[in-house]
Amino acid sequence: MEQITFQVDEKALAPIRGLVIGANFEETKAALDKKLESYKTLVVTETGVSDAKADLAHIRKIKSKLDEARIAVKKAYTEPLAVFEAKCRELTDICTVCIENIDGQVKRFENEQKQKKISALSAFFEDNAKSLDGLLDFESIRNPRWENKTYSIEDAQKDILREIGIASAAIGAIAALHSEFETELLATYRNTRDLAAVMQKNEHLTEIKKINERRKQEAENRNAEKERQEAEYIAQFTEKRVQEVRAETAASVIPAAETASEAPLHVIDFRVWVNDGQMASLRDFLKSNNIRYGRVPLG
């Protein structure tokens, strides 16, 4: 590209740099100091309010005149500068249009190159991480430095292989635990890539299981003891009630001679578990059917 040089006329600047805008600064300052000094500490009384208002208006008028003079001089002084700046902006605008055009295309090209590089590295990762069964993904190890031109694709591939090796070793360590929680442990590693966190989770899950099993066994033991006690109580209560019934009905048992019939009699020994109402019903049934009953000898 042909060199373009923009030069400012230094001779034109020389008078500006040496320009001194004159005014009676010292005379005015002396007059203000003399006439306005007392107003710096003036105390306004109720009777002096009107005079104070008049003096205030006079001082504001002086200040306004000074500001008007400053603005007028500034405008005259900056008019040449405003014209110069406008012409410079016209030139820089031409450059800006070209810069934006070229810069946009360069950035698009660089982004395309970055995407191609990342796509190649992603494919390299997939080819070398098949044994990990999806427990490590490319985005989780992606390094922003890989996009830099100065970072070679070979170095990036070494980084990928190192990460795959670390993950493979971690997965092997998890498998070596032979933990029944292996599925949960692998999921934890996939999410955290932190082997120490995986080991802690395994200990935590194992301890929880032990606690649950202990609680379950304790509950089973309590239930078994409760059932044993209930069965023992029922047996004792039934035996007691049977003896009471036998005593109550001993006098009403029909003699064998009176109940004998031509049909042969069968002797059946059995045990029943009944409550009070059921026991009464059983007794009534036996009586109403003239069924002989009695105590079963022990032994």
Side-chain angles (χ1 to χ4, degrees):
M1 180 178 179
E2 183 180 352
Q3 187 71 25
I4 298 176
T5 304
F6 176 70
Q7 294 179 334
V8 176
D9 187 354
E10 291 293 332
K11 292 181 180 180
L13 292 177
I16 297 175
R17 292 193 178 103
L19 178 64
V20 176
I21 302 174
N24 60 334
F25 293 109
E26 297 301 326
E27 180 184 349
T28 303
K29 183 177 183 301
L32 290 175
D33 287 340
K34 180 179 179 180
K35 293 187 176 183
L36 301 183
E37 181 64 28
S38 61
Y39 289 99
K40 295 179 181 179
T41 56
L42 175 67
V43 176
V44 179
T45 62
E46 184 176 356
T47 57
V49 171
S50 296
D51 292 338
K53 287 183 177 180
D55 292 339
L56 179 61
H58 180 66
I59 295 172
R60 283 176 171 168
K61 186 175 181 181
I62 294 173
K63 180 176 181 295
S64 178
K65 290 292 185 181
L66 292 171
D67 282 337
E68 288 174 2
R70 175 181 57 78
I71 293 171
V73 172
K74 181 179 180 181
K75 181 179 179 181
Y77 189 77
T78 57
E79 280 179 353
L81 177 61
V83 174
F84 177 79
E85 287 184 335
K87 291 181 177 181
C88 285
R89 278 195 294 271
E90 183 179 3
L91 300 178
T92 57
D93 288 345
I94 296 174
C95 296
T96 299
V97 172
C98 299
I99 290 171
E100 291 177 349
N101 177 46
I102 298 173
D103 185 57
Q105 295 184 63
V106 169
K107 286 181 177 178
R108 283 194 295 273
F109 176 77
E110 289 178 344
N111 287 335
E112 290 175 359
Q113 294 300 312
K114 289 179 182 179
Q115 290 302 318
K116 288 180 180 179
K117 185 178 182 182
I118 294 301
S119 296
L121 291 175
S122 178
F124 178 83
F125 171 84
E126 296 298 335
D127 289 341
N128 289 273
K130 294 178 180 178
S131 62
L132 301 181
D133 294 328
L135 294 174
L136 184 69
D137 61 87
F138 178 73
E139 289 301 324
S140 67
I141 66 170
R142 181 171 172 176
N143 191 328
R145 293 188 304 165
W146 296 347
E147 298 180 4
N148 298 337
K149 284 186 176 181
T150 56
Y151 206 91
S152 69
I153 193 168
E154 290 78 16
D155 288 339
Q157 289 174 343
K158 291 179 182 178
D159 293 343
I160 291 172
L161 292 176
R162 181 172 59 254
E163 293 293 342
I164 291 175
I166 293 172
S168 180
I171 294 170
I174 294 171
L177 294 174
H178 300 293
S179 172
E180 60 183 299
F181 309 110
E182 185 171 308
T183 301
E184 293 91 331
L185 299 182
L186 291 174
T188 298
Y189 181 77
R190 182 175 57 250
N191 295 331
T192 65
R193 293 171 53 213
D194 186 345
L195 185 58
V198 172
M199 296 302 179
Q200 291 177 357
K201 186 175 184 68
N202 184 57
E203 293 177 1
H204 178 66
L205 293 175
T206 301
E207 184 61 26
I208 289 177
K209 181 185 178 184
K210 289 180 180 179
I211 293 173
N212 290 337
E213 288 179 343
R214 183 169 63 250
R215 289 176 177 173
K216 180 180 178 181
Q217 186 61 49
E218 290 173 352
E220 290 177 351
N221 292 342
R222 287 194 298 269
N223 291 335
E225 177 62 19
K226 183 179 179 181
E227 291 176 358
R228 186 193 66 78
Q229 291 176 357
E230 290 176 349
E232 182 178 352
Y233 172 78
I234 291 173
Q236 292 175 352
F237 179 80
T238 302
E239 179 64 23
K240 179 180 178 181
R241 293 300 297 159
V242 168
Q243 292 177 1
E244 292 174 352
V245 171
R246 287 172 179 168
E248 293 174 358
T249 60
S252 63
V253 175
I254 302 173
E258 297 179 6
T259 59
S261 65
E262 296 180 0
L265 297 178
H266 301 279
V267 179
I268 303 174
D269 295 340
F270 65 94
R271 175 178 294 178
V272 296
W273 282 262
V274 293
N275 56 34
D276 289 350
Q278 292 170 332
M279 183 177 293
S281 297
L282 177 61
R283 182 185 58 200
D284 293 342
F285 172 81
L286 295 175
K287 285 183 177 182
S288 63
N289 288 277
N290 294 322
I291 298 176
R292 179 182 177 184
Y293 61 92
R295 182 176 182 180
V296 179
L298 299 178

